[in-house]
Amino acid sequence: MLNWVLPERCPCCGAITPAGGPFCVSCWQNLEFLGPPWCRGCAAPFEFDRGDDAYCASCIAHPPRHDGIRAAVKYDDVSAQVVLRLKYGGKIGLARVIARQLVRHLPDDHANLIITPVPLHWTRMWSRTFNQSALIGQELAALSGIPFVPDILVRHKRTPTMRGLDVRRRKKAVGGAFAVNPKWQGRVKGLRLILIDDVFTTGATSDGCVSVLKRNGASWVQMFCWARALRGTNHQPASISRDA
């Protein structure tokens, strides 16, 4: 009766979905799910299997600070709607939908592994009332049994909206924005961290977070997100505004 009165709706388009899945058939077919074969450094997908130790040209030229990116889907107009509904529409149940698609990317070894989110500045937290990355992290922890710690990082500088900024200006905008929470000073050393964000675009935000964590002794930091922009697509959905 509840399903009839309040039927499940597709998080991408809002259409009523059939029983057994959160997405409608059309959106499910249009989502580009990501997985191997991919670059060992950044997990950018390869067209064919080059072996487990293969790196893409970008990672060879500029080795990333992180230890890989794990995204459920490619970032495009369809996948962006999920983030819009979670982030600005208040559909917080979508955090669990996202987490379910990320479980498959978790490493088998959970030793010293902690899930933690990219933090929001307190002013955005006050206006939005929740951190979408923290909600995703909580759900991923609940599904996997990996500990979730919401406050290893703090964001003590409010950054401008990233929309329309190139990579150089994005990196400048987030410079010095992140720090390890004082209560975690001296406790990050040796930790393996899964850092949660909603979307990965240029990597400016992740670089800022990962740099701080590794300077404080984290041994391994991997990015997890719902969707990632792929190099060469030059795609920025017109309807979503990133605030890094």
Side-chain angles (χ1 to χ4, degrees):
M1 179 65 70
L2 184 62
N3 288 336
W4 181 77
V5 176
L6 298 171
E8 291 286 337
R9 292 187 177 274
C10 175
C12 294
C13 69
I16 295 175
T17 58
F23 297 92
C24 71
V25 173
S26 176
C27 289
W28 181 263
Q29 292 175 340
N30 284 312
L31 286 169
E32 185 175 332
F33 289 89
L34 301 179
W38 52 25
C39 168
R40 180 177 178 179
C42 70
F46 289 147
E47 293 183 1
F48 58 90
D49 192 351
R50 304 182 188 180
D52 293 339
D53 294 328
Y55 289 87
C56 67
S58 178
C59 286
I60 293 172
H62 306 286
R65 293 185 174 94
H66 57 70
D67 295 285
I69 306 165
R70 298 293 183 264
V73 296
K74 174 185 172 182
Y75 184 46
D76 56 23
D77 286 319
V78 178
S79 62
Q81 295 308 309
V82 179
V83 177
L84 280 169
R85 286 183 164 86
L86 168 60
K87 196 171 179 177
Y88 302 116
K91 305 294 185 182
I92 60 175
L94 294 180
R96 189 168 183 83
V97 173
I98 292 172
R100 283 173 176 163
Q101 300 304 321
L102 289 173
V103 168
R104 62 192 170 96
H105 290 316
L106 288 171
D108 295 329
D109 181 10
H110 291 184
N112 294 324
L113 192 60
I114 289 176
I115 296 173
T116 194
V118 170
L120 286 180
H121 189 264
W122 71 266
T123 56
R124 283 205 170 95
M125 189 70 178
W126 180 80
S127 63
R128 195 178 298 164
T129 73
F130 64 88
N131 178 352
Q132 70 281 354
S133 298
L135 294 179
I136 296 168
Q138 282 180 305
E139 295 292 349
L140 188 59
L143 292 171
S144 65
I146 299 170
F148 172 73
V149 180
D151 59 352
I152 293 179
L153 286 173
V154 293
R155 192 177 196 141
H156 53 70
K157 170 186 170 184
R158 176 163 179 162
T159 52
T161 298
M162 298 289 108
R163 183 172 178 80
L165 299 183
D166 58 24
V167 176
R168 182 185 62 80
R169 288 187 291 171
R170 286 183 182 222
K171 288 184 176 180
K172 183 178 179 180
V174 299
F178 302 101
V180 169
N181 191 322
K183 72 179 184 180
W184 274 88
Q185 289 290 344
R187 299 168 58 193
V188 177
K189 187 174 182 180
L191 291 181
R192 299 166 62 239
L193 299 169
I194 290 176
L195 184 63
I196 305 289
D197 205 357
D198 51 0
V199 171
F200 184 98
T201 51
T202 65
T205 298
S206 66
D207 279 356
C209 292
V210 173
S211 295
V212 167
L213 291 168
K214 295 228 170 164
R215 283 200 304 270
N216 281 267
S219 63
W220 182 90
V221 184
Q222 196 167 80
M223 293 297 306
F224 269 56
C225 58
W226 160 243
R228 65 171 294 178
L230 297 179
R231 287 187 293 270
T233 60
N234 295 320
H235 186 83
Q236 174 74 28
S239 57
I240 190 166
S241 175
R242 296 282 296 132
D243 54 16

